C-alpha cells in the first residue's frame, strides 16, 4: 500500500473543507427558507383574520372592516398564501439537499422560482401597503377619507401583516443571492472569464 | 511542426463554440436590458407627465389630477426612475462584457442588483396598481369613490404606465435567470453535485 504523501493529505483536507462549506451553505439556505416561511405564514394569517365590526351603524357608513372588502388585501392573502406554500415545499427540497447533495441545475431552478416569489410577495405587500397607507392617511385630492380613526384594530393588524411580508421578500432576495454565490463557487477557478 | 490531430480539431471547435455561445448570451443580456430600460423609461415618463385639470370647480371637489397628489404614484415614479438609471448603467456594463468578457463574480453582483430591482419595480408598479384600480372601481366598504369618470385621461395614462413597468419587471426576472444559467454553464460538468 502506498503511504499518504503530504500532497494527498492537503488534497483530502481541501475536499473535506469543500464538503463542509457546501453543507454550511445548505444549512444557511434551510434556515433562511424557514425564516421566510414563518414571516410569510404569520403575514398571511394576520391579514386573513382581519375582521373588525364597530357597534355603530349609520345610514351612510358600513362599520365593518374585513380584508376581503378590499381587493388589494385579498390579493395580499392570495400572493402570500402561494409564496408560503412554495416556501414550505422548498424547505423540504432544502433538507433533501443537505442530506443528499443535489445537481447544480437545481440551483438555477430555485433562483427562477425564488425570483418569481420575490416579485409575487413584493407585489402583494406593496399593493396592500398602498391601501393601508390610504386607510391611515386618506387623500384629500381624490376625496378618499382615512378610515383608521374608526377601524384602529383593523389598521394595526394589516400594518403588522405588511411588515411580515416585506421581511419575507427580503429573505427571498438573500436566498437568490446565496444560490447565485453557490453556483459561482461550484468550480472555483475564481478569476475565470465567462 | 506537429500536424493537427482530429482531437485537437474537436477541442478547438469546442472552445470556439463556447466562445460564440458566451457572446450570444452576452448579446441576449444586452437586448433584454435595453428592452427593460425602454419599458421602464416609458413608464416613468407616462406617469411623471400625468396632469389633468377639468374645466369645472365646486366647493367640495378639486378637479385636478396629478401623479404627485397620490403618494403611491409618486413612489412609482421614484422607483422606476432609480431602476431606469440602474438599467442604463447596466447596459453599458453589458456592452463592455460583450467586447471584453468579464469575471464570473460580475454575474453574482448583477444577480444581486437585478433581484433588488425586480423588487423595487414590482413594489412601485403594484402600489400604483392598487391606487389606479381604486380610481377606476372605487370601494363602497371604505366609502372611497371612483374618480375615473371625471379623470379619464389621467386614469388611462397611469394604466399605460403600469403596463410598461410590469413588462420591465418581467424582463428583469428573465435577466436574473439568464445570469444564473450563465453561471451554471460556466464550467460544464453538467451533473456535478454542489
Amino acid at each position: 500500500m502506498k503511504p499518504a504523501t503530504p500532497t494527498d493529505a492537503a488534497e483530502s483536507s481541501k475536499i473535506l473543507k469543500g464538503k463542509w462549506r457546501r453543507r454550511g451553505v445548505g444549512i444557511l439556505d434551510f434556515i433562511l427558507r424557514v425564516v421566510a416561511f414563518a414571516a410569510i405564514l404569520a403575514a398571511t394569517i394576520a391579514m386573513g383574520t382581519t375582521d373588525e365590526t364597530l357597534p355603530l351603524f349609520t345610514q351612510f357608513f358600513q362599520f365593518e372592516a374585513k380584508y376581503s372588502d378590499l381587493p388589494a388585501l385579498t390579493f395580499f392573502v392570495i400572493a402570500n398564501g402561494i409564496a408560503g406554500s412554495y416556501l414550505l415545499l422548498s424547505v423540504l427540497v432544502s433538507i433533501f439537499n443537505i442530506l443528499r447533495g443535489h445537481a447544480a441545475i437545481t440551483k438555477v431552478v430555485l433562483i427562477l422560482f425564488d425570483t418569481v416569489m420575490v416579485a409575487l410577495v413584493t407585489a402583494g405587500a406593496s399593493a396592500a401597503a398602498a391601501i393601508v397607507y390610504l386607510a391611515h392617511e386618506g387623500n384629500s385630492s381624490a376625496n378618499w377619507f382615512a378610515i383608521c380613526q374608526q377601524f384602529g384594530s383593523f389598521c394595526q393588524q394589516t400594518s403588522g401583516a405588511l411588515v411580515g411580508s416585506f421581511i419575507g421578500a427580503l429573505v427571498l432576495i438573500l436566498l437568490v443571492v446565496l444560490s447565485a454565490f453557490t453556483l459561482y463557487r461550484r468550480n472555483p477557478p475564481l478569476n475565470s472569464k465567462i
Side-chain angles (χ1 to χ4, degrees), chain A residues 33-111:
Chain A
R33 282 182 196 282
V34 170
V35 170
F37 173 68
I40 282 174
L41 182 69
T44 315
I45 293 173
M47 186 64 88
T49 55
T50 50
D51 189 0
E52 188 180 6
T53 312
L54 298 189
L56 302 163
F57 193 80
T58 77
Q59 201 180 340
F60 303 107
F61 291 92
Q62 292 180 341
F63 284 119
E64 195 196 359
K66 217 179 153 181
Y67 80 93
S68 55
D69 293 333
L70 294 155
L73 305 192
T74 309
F75 174 60
F76 178 95
V77 173
I78 295 170
N80 281 275
I82 293 172
S85 311
Y86 162 75
L87 279 166
L88 185 61
L89 199 74
S90 80
V91 164
L92 301 179
V93 173
S94 190
I95 293 173
F96 184 81
N97 289 344
I98 292 172
L99 299 177
R100 304 286 298 270
H102 60 287
I105 190 73
T106 314
K107 282 283 164 201
V108 180
V109 176
L110 279 176
I111 287 177

Side-chain angles (χ1 to χ4, degrees), chain A residues 131-177:
Chain A
I131 295 301
V132 171
Y133 181 82
L134 196 62
H136 275 283
E137 302 289 328
N139 188 285
S140 59
S141 306
N143 287 290
W144 293 328
F145 301 106
I147 58 167
C148 282
Q149 280 95 337
Q150 290 94 51
F151 296 104
S153 142
F154 172 78
C155 285
Q156 218 169 353
Q157 203 171 334
T158 49
S159 306
L162 291 184
V163 174
S165 193
F166 278 118
I167 289 175
L170 199 69
V171 176
L172 276 164
I173 292 177
L174 292 181
L175 278 166
V176 170
V177 178

